[in-house]
C-alpha cells in the first residue's frame, strides 16, 4: 500500500476482545506487522489500557516494548466499563486518570508526538472537551521542557529507565 501511495502509513494498535488460536502475543504481533510492513504506528493509548484490562497485562510494560521510533501520532479517548474485567473502547466518555497516566508515560518513554482527543458520541459541552485538549497540551509542554533541559536531545532515547 505504501508503495502504491508513495507515502508511509501508520497502523493503529486496535482494541480486541478475544484472540482464539493466537500464535503471537499482542505486542509480538504489532511489532512483527510494523517491521514487515516497514510502517509507522498510530499509538492509541486508550486501546493499550482497554486491552491491558481485558487481557490482564501491564500497560506500562507493553508501552516499553513498542518501537518508539515508529510512533507517528497518537490517540487518547474514553471507554465503557462493562464489568471489572471487560472494558469497551467507545470514544464516548471522558478520559480517565489511568489513561492520562499512560499518555504521560508514553511521552516520557518516546518524547512528545501529535495526539488527537477522540470523542465520537455523548459529546459534553465544548469547554469540557477543551479541558481535555488542554490536559494533552500540558503533558506535551511538560515533556518538551524535559527534552529542552536535556540539551534538546532528540535521539529517540527514553527519558527514564
Amino acid at each position: 500500500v505504501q508503495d502504491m501511495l508513495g507515502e508511509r502509513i501508520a497502523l493503529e494498535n486496535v482494541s480486541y476482545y478475544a484472540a482464539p488460536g493466537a500464535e503471537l502475543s499482542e505486542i509480538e504481533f504489532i511489532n512483527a506487522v510494523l517491521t514487515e510492513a516497514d510502517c509507522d504506528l498510530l499509538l492509541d493509548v486508550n486501546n493499550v489500557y482497554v486491552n491491558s484490562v481485558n487481557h490482564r497485562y501491564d500497560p506500562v510494560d507493553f508501552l516499553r516494548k513498542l518501537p518508539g521510533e515508529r510512533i507517528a501520532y497518537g490517540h487518547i479517548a474514553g471507554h465503557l466499563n462493562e464489568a471489572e474485567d471487560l472494558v469497551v473502547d467507545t470514544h464516548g466518555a471522558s478520559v480517565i486518570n489511568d489513561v492520562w497516566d499512560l499518555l504521560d508515560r508514553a511521552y516520557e518513554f518516546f518524547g512528545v508526538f501529535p495526539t488527537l482527543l477522540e470523542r465520537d458520541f455523548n459529546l459534553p459541552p465544548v469547554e469540557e472537551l477543551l479541558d481535555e485538549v488542554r490536559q494533552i497540551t500540558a503533558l506535551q509542554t511538560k515533556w518538551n521542557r524535559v527534552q529542552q533541559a536535556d540539551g534538546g536531545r532528540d535521539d529517540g532515547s527514553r527519558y527514564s529507565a
Side-chain angles (χ1 to χ4, degrees):
V1 173
Q2 293 179 124
D3 292 339
M4 183 181 69
L5 293 173
E7 297 287 334
R8 288 186 66 78
I9 62 171
L11 299 178
E12 179 176 352
N13 59 301
V14 298
S15 58
Y16 68 104
Y17 304 94
E23 295 181 18
L24 299 172
S25 69
E26 178 184 357
I27 193 66
E28 291 169 333
F29 178 77
I30 290 170
N31 285 329
V33 169
L34 295 175
T35 299
E36 286 295 315
D38 189 27
C39 63
D40 290 330
L41 174 64
L42 183 179
L43 176 57
D44 190 318
V45 176
N46 186 60
N47 286 351
V48 172
Y49 175 80
V50 166
N51 292 344
S52 76
V53 172
N54 294 339
H55 303 288
R56 297 172 183 84
Y57 63 72
D58 180 345
V60 174
D61 183 56
F62 182 91
L63 279 178
R64 285 188 173 133
K65 293 177 181 175
L66 288 171
E69 71 280 1
R70 291 192 182 267
I71 298 172
Y73 58 102
H75 286 171
I76 192 164
H79 53 264
L80 174 65
N81 291 312
E82 282 285 339
E84 187 174 306
D85 61 348
L86 178 60
V87 178
V88 179
D89 179 37
T90 62
H91 305 168
S94 297
V95 178
I96 66 165
N97 287 337
D98 288 344
V99 176
W100 286 118
D101 291 344
L102 275 179
L103 181 62
D104 188 47
R105 296 305 298 267
Y107 291 157
E108 176 185 358
F109 296 156
F110 308 121
V112 172
F113 46 84
T115 305
L116 173 76
L117 173 65
E118 292 184 289
R119 190 69 178 260
D120 298 339
F121 69 100
N122 292 334
L123 297 173
V126 171
E127 195 56 38
E128 288 180 35
L129 292 173
L130 291 174
D131 284 342
E132 290 189 314
V133 170
R134 285 188 278 273
Q135 195 161 352
I136 293 169
T137 302
L139 289 173
Q140 291 174 330
T141 299
K142 169 186 165 181
W143 288 107
N144 279 330
R145 286 185 181 141
V146 168
Q147 183 179 351
Q148 290 171 354
D150 199 23
R153 183 178 71 192
D154 189 14
D155 60 6
S157 64
R158 295 180 173 168
Y159 295 105
S160 72

Short mmCIF file of all heavy atoms in Angstrom, two decimals, residues 20-66:
data_model
loop_
_atom_site.label_atom_id
_atom_site.label_comp_id
_atom_site.label_asym_id
_atom_site.label_seq_id
_atom_site.Cartn_x
_atom_site.Cartn_y
_atom_site.Cartn_z
N PRO A 20 -8.85 -16.22 19.92
CA PRO A 20 -8.74 -17.69 19.92
C PRO A 20 -7.69 -18.15 18.92
O PRO A 20 -7.61 -17.65 17.80
CB PRO A 20 -10.15 -18.15 19.52
CG PRO A 20 -10.78 -16.97 18.87
CD PRO A 20 -10.12 -15.75 19.43
N GLY A 21 -6.86 -19.06 19.35
CA GLY A 21 -5.84 -19.62 18.47
C GLY A 21 -4.68 -18.68 18.17
O GLY A 21 -3.92 -18.93 17.23
N ALA A 22 -4.53 -17.61 18.94
CA ALA A 22 -3.44 -16.66 18.68
C ALA A 22 -2.09 -17.35 18.80
O ALA A 22 -1.84 -18.08 19.75
CB ALA A 22 -3.53 -15.50 19.66
N GLU A 23 -1.23 -17.11 17.82
CA GLU A 23 0.12 -17.68 17.84
C GLU A 23 1.15 -16.69 18.34
O GLU A 23 2.28 -17.07 18.66
CB GLU A 23 0.49 -18.18 16.45
CG GLU A 23 -0.39 -19.33 15.99
CD GLU A 23 -0.03 -19.84 14.62
OE1 GLU A 23 1.08 -19.56 14.14
OE2 GLU A 23 -0.88 -20.53 14.03
N LEU A 24 0.77 -15.41 18.40
CA LEU A 24 1.65 -14.35 18.87
C LEU A 24 0.92 -13.56 19.94
O LEU A 24 -0.30 -13.42 19.90
CB LEU A 24 2.02 -13.40 17.73
CG LEU A 24 2.77 -13.95 16.53
CD1 LEU A 24 2.87 -12.88 15.44
CD2 LEU A 24 4.15 -14.41 16.94
N SER A 25 1.67 -12.99 20.86
CA SER A 25 1.07 -12.05 21.81
C SER A 25 0.75 -10.77 21.05
O SER A 25 1.23 -10.55 19.92
CB SER A 25 2.04 -11.75 22.95
OG SER A 25 3.14 -10.99 22.47
N GLU A 26 -0.03 -9.92 21.67
CA GLU A 26 -0.39 -8.65 21.04
C GLU A 26 0.85 -7.83 20.68
O GLU A 26 0.97 -7.32 19.57
CB GLU A 26 -1.30 -7.85 21.98
CG GLU A 26 -1.70 -6.50 21.44
CD GLU A 26 -2.51 -5.70 22.43
OE1 GLU A 26 -2.83 -6.19 23.54
OE2 GLU A 26 -2.84 -4.54 22.10
N ILE A 27 1.80 -7.72 21.61
CA ILE A 27 2.99 -6.91 21.35
C ILE A 27 3.85 -7.55 20.27
O ILE A 27 4.41 -6.85 19.41
CB ILE A 27 3.79 -6.62 22.64
CG1 ILE A 27 4.84 -5.53 22.40
CG2 ILE A 27 4.44 -7.86 23.20
CD1 ILE A 27 4.29 -4.18 22.09
N GLU A 28 3.96 -8.87 20.26
CA GLU A 28 4.71 -9.55 19.20
C GLU A 28 4.06 -9.31 17.85
O GLU A 28 4.75 -9.06 16.85
CB GLU A 28 4.78 -11.05 19.48
CG GLU A 28 5.64 -11.43 20.66
CD GLU A 28 5.48 -12.88 21.07
OE1 GLU A 28 4.41 -13.48 20.84
OE2 GLU A 28 6.44 -13.41 21.66
N PHE A 29 2.72 -9.37 17.80
CA PHE A 29 2.01 -9.16 16.54
C PHE A 29 2.22 -7.74 16.02
O PHE A 29 2.56 -7.53 14.85
CB PHE A 29 0.51 -9.44 16.74
CG PHE A 29 -0.30 -9.19 15.51
CD1 PHE A 29 -0.30 -10.09 14.46
CD2 PHE A 29 -1.08 -8.04 15.40
CE1 PHE A 29 -1.05 -9.85 13.31
CE2 PHE A 29 -1.82 -7.78 14.26
CZ PHE A 29 -1.82 -8.69 13.22
N ILE A 30 2.03 -6.74 16.89
CA ILE A 30 2.20 -5.35 16.48
C ILE A 30 3.61 -5.11 15.96
O ILE A 30 3.81 -4.54 14.89
CB ILE A 30 1.86 -4.38 17.63
CG1 ILE A 30 0.37 -4.39 17.92
CG2 ILE A 30 2.35 -2.96 17.32
CD1 ILE A 30 -0.03 -3.67 19.18
N ASN A 31 4.60 -5.55 16.72
CA ASN A 31 5.99 -5.33 16.29
C ASN A 31 6.30 -6.05 14.99
O ASN A 31 7.02 -5.52 14.14
CB ASN A 31 6.95 -5.72 17.41
CG ASN A 31 6.98 -4.68 18.52
OD1 ASN A 31 6.78 -3.50 18.29
ND2 ASN A 31 7.21 -5.13 19.73
N ALA A 32 5.77 -7.27 14.81
CA ALA A 32 6.00 -8.00 13.56
C ALA A 32 5.37 -7.29 12.37
O ALA A 32 5.99 -7.15 11.31
CB ALA A 32 5.45 -9.43 13.68
N VAL A 33 4.14 -6.82 12.53
CA VAL A 33 3.47 -6.11 11.43
C VAL A 33 4.21 -4.83 11.07
O VAL A 33 4.46 -4.54 9.90
CB VAL A 33 1.99 -5.81 11.77
CG1 VAL A 33 1.36 -4.84 10.78
CG2 VAL A 33 1.19 -7.10 11.84
N LEU A 34 4.59 -4.05 12.09
CA LEU A 34 5.30 -2.79 11.82
C LEU A 34 6.64 -3.05 11.13
O LEU A 34 7.03 -2.31 10.22
CB LEU A 34 5.52 -2.02 13.12
CG LEU A 34 4.27 -1.52 13.83
CD1 LEU A 34 4.63 -0.87 15.16
CD2 LEU A 34 3.46 -0.58 12.96
N THR A 35 7.33 -4.11 11.54
CA THR A 35 8.62 -4.43 10.93
C THR A 35 8.44 -4.94 9.50
O THR A 35 9.10 -4.46 8.58
CB THR A 35 9.36 -5.50 11.78
OG1 THR A 35 9.59 -4.96 13.07
CG2 THR A 35 10.68 -5.89 11.14
N GLU A 36 7.55 -5.91 9.31
CA GLU A 36 7.34 -6.49 7.98
C GLU A 36 6.82 -5.47 6.98
O GLU A 36 7.24 -5.44 5.83
CB GLU A 36 6.38 -7.68 8.05
CG GLU A 36 6.99 -8.92 8.64
CD GLU A 36 8.13 -9.50 7.80
OE1 GLU A 36 7.98 -9.59 6.57
OE2 GLU A 36 9.17 -9.83 8.40
N ALA A 37 5.89 -4.62 7.42
CA ALA A 37 5.31 -3.61 6.53
C ALA A 37 6.19 -2.36 6.45
O ALA A 37 5.97 -1.51 5.59
CB ALA A 37 3.92 -3.22 7.01
N ASP A 38 7.15 -2.26 7.34
CA ASP A 38 8.01 -1.07 7.45
C ASP A 38 7.15 0.20 7.47
O ASP A 38 7.33 1.12 6.69
CB ASP A 38 9.04 -1.00 6.33
CG ASP A 38 10.06 0.11 6.58
OD1 ASP A 38 10.30 0.46 7.75
OD2 ASP A 38 10.60 0.64 5.59
N CYS A 39 6.17 0.20 8.39
CA CYS A 39 5.28 1.35 8.51
C CYS A 39 5.36 1.93 9.91
O CYS A 39 6.03 1.40 10.78
CB CYS A 39 3.85 0.96 8.16
SG CYS A 39 3.15 -0.27 9.26
N ASP A 40 4.66 3.03 10.10
CA ASP A 40 4.65 3.72 11.39
C ASP A 40 3.48 3.23 12.24
O ASP A 40 2.65 2.45 11.79
CB ASP A 40 4.55 5.23 11.17
CG ASP A 40 5.83 5.81 10.58
OD1 ASP A 40 6.92 5.26 10.84
OD2 ASP A 40 5.73 6.82 9.86
N LEU A 41 3.45 3.72 13.47
CA LEU A 41 2.42 3.35 14.44
C LEU A 41 1.58 4.55 14.81
O LEU A 41 2.11 5.60 15.14
CB LEU A 41 3.08 2.79 15.71
CG LEU A 41 2.17 2.46 16.89
CD1 LEU A 41 1.19 1.35 16.54
CD2 LEU A 41 3.01 2.07 18.12
N LEU A 42 0.28 4.37 14.76
CA LEU A 42 -0.66 5.31 15.36
C LEU A 42 -0.94 4.71 16.73
O LEU A 42 -1.64 3.71 16.83
CB LEU A 42 -1.94 5.38 14.52
CG LEU A 42 -3.03 6.37 14.92
CD1 LEU A 42 -4.18 6.32 13.98
CD2 LEU A 42 -3.44 6.32 16.34
N LEU A 43 -0.35 5.28 17.76
CA LEU A 43 -0.47 4.73 19.11
C LEU A 43 -1.78 5.19 19.75
O LEU A 43 -1.92 6.36 20.12
CB LEU A 43 0.71 5.16 19.97
CG LEU A 43 0.66 4.73 21.44
CD1 LEU A 43 0.54 3.21 21.57
CD2 LEU A 43 1.88 5.24 22.19
N ASP A 44 -2.72 4.26 19.89
CA ASP A 44 -3.97 4.55 20.59
C ASP A 44 -3.77 4.17 22.05
O ASP A 44 -3.77 2.98 22.40
CB ASP A 44 -5.14 3.79 19.97
CG ASP A 44 -6.46 4.26 20.52
OD1 ASP A 44 -6.57 4.49 21.75
OD2 ASP A 44 -7.41 4.41 19.73
N VAL A 45 -3.53 5.16 22.88
CA VAL A 45 -3.20 4.94 24.29
C VAL A 45 -4.39 4.31 25.02
O VAL A 45 -4.19 3.43 25.87
CB VAL A 45 -2.76 6.26 24.95
CG1 VAL A 45 -2.50 6.08 26.44
CG2 VAL A 45 -1.51 6.81 24.25
N ASN A 46 -5.59 4.72 24.69
CA ASN A 46 -6.76 4.12 25.33
C ASN A 46 -6.86 2.63 24.99
O ASN A 46 -7.21 1.82 25.85
CB ASN A 46 -8.05 4.84 24.93
CG ASN A 46 -9.24 4.32 25.70
OD1 ASN A 46 -9.28 4.40 26.93
ND2 ASN A 46 -10.22 3.78 24.99
N ASN A 47 -6.51 2.25 23.77
CA ASN A 47 -6.56 0.83 23.40
C ASN A 47 -5.54 0.02 24.20
O ASN A 47 -5.81 -1.14 24.54
CB ASN A 47 -6.33 0.65 21.90
CG ASN A 47 -7.53 1.06 21.09
OD1 ASN A 47 -8.61 1.33 21.62
ND2 ASN A 47 -7.35 1.14 19.78
N VAL A 48 -4.40 0.60 24.51
CA VAL A 48 -3.43 -0.09 25.37
C VAL A 48 -4.08 -0.36 26.73
O VAL A 48 -4.01 -1.47 27.26
CB VAL A 48 -2.12 0.72 25.53
CG1 VAL A 48 -1.22 0.08 26.58
CG2 VAL A 48 -1.40 0.87 24.20
N TYR A 49 -4.74 0.66 27.28
CA TYR A 49 -5.39 0.50 28.58
C TYR A 49 -6.51 -0.54 28.50
O TYR A 49 -6.58 -1.47 29.33
CB TYR A 49 -5.96 1.83 29.08
CG TYR A 49 -6.74 1.65 30.35
CD1 TYR A 49 -6.09 1.55 31.58
CD2 TYR A 49 -8.13 1.53 30.33
CE1 TYR A 49 -6.80 1.33 32.75
CE2 TYR A 49 -8.85 1.32 31.50
CZ TYR A 49 -8.18 1.22 32.70
OH TYR A 49 -8.89 0.99 33.86
N VAL A 50 -7.39 -0.41 27.51
CA VAL A 50 -8.52 -1.34 27.35
C VAL A 50 -8.02 -2.77 27.25
O VAL A 50 -8.49 -3.67 27.96
CB VAL A 50 -9.36 -0.95 26.11
CG1 VAL A 50 -10.32 -2.06 25.70
CG2 VAL A 50 -10.12 0.35 26.36
N ASN A 51 -7.04 -3.01 26.39
CA ASN A 51 -6.53 -4.36 26.21
C ASN A 51 -5.82 -4.87 27.45
O ASN A 51 -5.87 -6.07 27.75
CB ASN A 51 -5.60 -4.43 25.00
CG ASN A 51 -6.34 -4.23 23.69
OD1 ASN A 51 -7.56 -4.32 23.62
ND2 ASN A 51 -5.60 -3.92 22.64
N SER A 52 -5.16 -3.97 28.18
CA SER A 52 -4.46 -4.41 29.39
C SER A 52 -5.44 -4.92 30.45
O SER A 52 -5.13 -5.87 31.17
CB SER A 52 -3.58 -3.29 29.95
OG SER A 52 -4.35 -2.31 30.62
N VAL A 53 -6.60 -4.30 30.52
CA VAL A 53 -7.62 -4.76 31.46
C VAL A 53 -8.23 -6.07 30.95
O VAL A 53 -8.32 -7.07 31.68
CB VAL A 53 -8.73 -3.70 31.67
CG1 VAL A 53 -9.88 -4.27 32.49
CG2 VAL A 53 -8.15 -2.46 32.34
N ASN A 54 -8.63 -6.08 29.69
CA ASN A 54 -9.33 -7.23 29.13
C ASN A 54 -8.45 -8.48 29.03
O ASN A 54 -8.95 -9.60 29.12
CB ASN A 54 -9.90 -6.90 27.76
CG ASN A 54 -10.99 -5.85 27.83
OD1 ASN A 54 -11.60 -5.64 28.88
ND2 ASN A 54 -11.24 -5.18 26.73
N HIS A 55 -7.15 -8.28 28.82
CA HIS A 55 -6.25 -9.42 28.60
C HIS A 55 -5.21 -9.55 29.71
O HIS A 55 -4.27 -10.32 29.60
CB HIS A 55 -5.61 -9.32 27.22
CG HIS A 55 -6.62 -9.25 26.14
ND1 HIS A 55 -7.38 -10.34 25.77
CD2 HIS A 55 -7.05 -8.20 25.39
CE1 HIS A 55 -8.22 -9.98 24.81
NE2 HIS A 55 -8.05 -8.69 24.57
N ARG A 56 -5.39 -8.74 30.76
CA ARG A 56 -4.63 -8.85 32.01
C ARG A 56 -3.12 -8.77 31.81
O ARG A 56 -2.39 -9.69 32.12
CB ARG A 56 -5.02 -10.13 32.73
CG ARG A 56 -6.48 -10.13 33.16
CD ARG A 56 -6.91 -11.47 33.71
NE ARG A 56 -8.31 -11.48 34.05
CZ ARG A 56 -9.29 -11.73 33.19
NH1 ARG A 56 -9.03 -11.96 31.94
NH2 ARG A 56 -10.55 -11.72 33.59
N TYR A 57 -2.68 -7.63 31.27
CA TYR A 57 -1.24 -7.40 31.20
C TYR A 57 -0.92 -6.00 31.72
O TYR A 57 -1.81 -5.18 31.89
CB TYR A 57 -0.68 -7.64 29.80
CG TYR A 57 -1.18 -6.73 28.69
CD1 TYR A 57 -0.79 -5.39 28.60
CD2 TYR A 57 -1.99 -7.23 27.68
CE1 TYR A 57 -1.23 -4.57 27.56
CE2 TYR A 57 -2.43 -6.42 26.64
CZ TYR A 57 -2.04 -5.10 26.58
OH TYR A 57 -2.46 -4.30 25.56
N ASP A 58 0.37 -5.76 31.95
CA ASP A 58 0.84 -4.48 32.47
C ASP A 58 0.95 -3.49 31.31
O ASP A 58 1.79 -3.69 30.41
CB ASP A 58 2.20 -4.68 33.14
CG ASP A 58 2.80 -3.40 33.70
OD1 ASP A 58 2.34 -2.29 33.35
OD2 ASP A 58 3.74 -3.52 34.50
N PRO A 59 0.15 -2.42 31.29
CA PRO A 59 0.17 -1.50 30.16
C PRO A 59 1.48 -0.71 30.03
O PRO A 59 1.89 -0.37 28.92
CB PRO A 59 -1.01 -0.57 30.42
CG PRO A 59 -1.22 -0.62 31.90
CD PRO A 59 -0.84 -2.02 32.30
N VAL A 60 2.14 -0.45 31.14
CA VAL A 60 3.42 0.28 31.08
C VAL A 60 4.49 -0.61 30.46
O VAL A 60 5.28 -0.17 29.61
CB VAL A 60 3.83 0.80 32.47
CG1 VAL A 60 5.22 1.43 32.44
CG2 VAL A 60 2.80 1.79 33.00
N ASP A 61 4.52 -1.87 30.85
CA ASP A 61 5.46 -2.82 30.24
C ASP A 61 5.19 -2.94 28.75
O ASP A 61 6.12 -2.98 27.94
CB ASP A 61 5.33 -4.18 30.93
CG ASP A 61 6.32 -5.19 30.40
OD1 ASP A 61 7.54 -4.90 30.42
OD2 ASP A 61 5.88 -6.26 29.94
N PHE A 62 3.92 -2.97 28.36
CA PHE A 62 3.54 -3.03 26.95
C PHE A 62 4.09 -1.81 26.20
O PHE A 62 4.69 -1.95 25.13
CB PHE A 62 2.01 -3.10 26.83
CG PHE A 62 1.52 -3.22 25.42
CD1 PHE A 62 1.31 -4.46 24.85
CD2 PHE A 62 1.26 -2.09 24.66
CE1 PHE A 62 0.85 -4.57 23.54
CE2 PHE A 62 0.80 -2.19 23.36
CZ PHE A 62 0.60 -3.44 22.80
N LEU A 63 3.89 -0.61 26.77
CA LEU A 63 4.41 0.61 26.13
C LEU A 63 5.91 0.52 25.91
O LEU A 63 6.41 0.87 24.84
CB LEU A 63 4.12 1.84 26.99
CG LEU A 63 2.74 2.46 26.93
CD1 LEU A 63 2.66 3.64 27.90
CD2 LEU A 63 2.37 2.91 25.52
N ARG A 64 6.62 0.05 26.91
CA ARG A 64 8.09 -0.03 26.82
C ARG A 64 8.55 -0.92 25.67
O ARG A 64 9.65 -0.75 25.16
CB ARG A 64 8.68 -0.57 28.12
CG ARG A 64 8.68 0.43 29.22
CD ARG A 64 9.44 -0.10 30.42
NE ARG A 64 9.54 0.97 31.40
CZ ARG A 64 9.29 0.82 32.68
NH1 ARG A 64 8.97 -0.37 33.16
NH2 ARG A 64 9.39 1.83 33.50
N LYS A 65 7.73 -1.88 25.28
CA LYS A 65 8.11 -2.83 24.22
C LYS A 65 7.76 -2.33 22.82
O LYS A 65 8.09 -2.98 21.84
CB LYS A 65 7.45 -4.18 24.49
CG LYS A 65 8.00 -4.86 25.74
CD LYS A 65 7.28 -6.15 26.03
CE LYS A 65 7.83 -6.80 27.30
NZ LYS A 65 7.05 -8.00 27.67
N LEU A 66 7.09 -1.19 22.74
CA LEU A 66 6.75 -0.64 21.42
C LEU A 66 7.97 0.04 20.81
O LEU A 66 8.80 0.59 21.52
CB LEU A 66 5.61 0.38 21.55
CG LEU A 66 4.24 -0.17 21.86
CD1 LEU A 66 3.27 0.96 22.17
CD2 LEU A 66 3.72 -1.03 20.70
#
